[in-house]
Amino acid sequence: MARNGSDDALRRGTTGVEAVEGLLAYATTRRGWGGGGLRSADRAVALSRALVAENPAHTPLLARALRTAARLHLGHRRPADALPLAAESVELARQAGGPALVLSLACLAEVYESLQRYGDAAAALSEADGHTPPA
């Protein structure tokens, strides 16, 4: 059965991880001004927090949900709302390191740039450069 909306992600029989994945997918396709994407991302963050409370192995999923929500807030020209989400994403991604941390740091840098905090943005990008694998 095709999934056509955020409610499809939450139907009976869907695991928590599948629901978060569905909500994030829906959120990224609904970036317009209607707010559907933000509502889906917020639901994904809330559901991810519950999953992490049950099992900390879901922390990378929460970091991704936070990063998605932060980028959507940026798209809606709300960098002040995006900042705590992006910062939390970085803190969670530090545990695993690697590509997730680099992506979270890049998101945080975007938020800082939107807030005209260029020094902080440069510091985040510099830290991200230190975590990228050699080519």
Side-chain angles (χ1 to χ4, degrees), residues 14-102:
T14 303
T15 68
V17 173
E18 290 172 336
V20 171
E21 294 287 353
L23 287 166
L24 291 175
Y26 183 77
T28 57
T29 63
R30 300 290 182 214
R31 293 181 174 250
W33 289 98
L38 275 175
R39 283 189 298 277
S40 291
D42 289 343
R43 289 171 81 182
V45 168
L47 190 52
S48 296
R49 287 187 194 286
L51 288 170
V52 169
E54 292 175 10
N55 183 353
H58 295 296
T59 300
L61 182 61
L62 174 57
R64 187 160 59 91
L66 290 163
R67 201 169 51 241
T68 299
R71 286 210 164 99
L72 288 169
H73 278 286
L74 279 179
H76 285 263
R77 296 186 180 132
R78 292 193 265 182
D81 293 335
L83 182 58
L85 300 169
E88 185 179 358
S89 175
V90 168
E91 291 309 310
L92 293 173
R94 281 189 202 288
Q95 297 171 15
L101 178 56
V102 172

Side-chain angles (χ1 to χ4, degrees), residues 2 13 19 25 27 35 51 66 78-79 84 87 96 117-119 121 125 127 135:
L51 288 170
L66 290 163
R78 292 193 265 182
R117 292 174 55 179
Y118 301 113
L125 289 174
E127 183 179 350

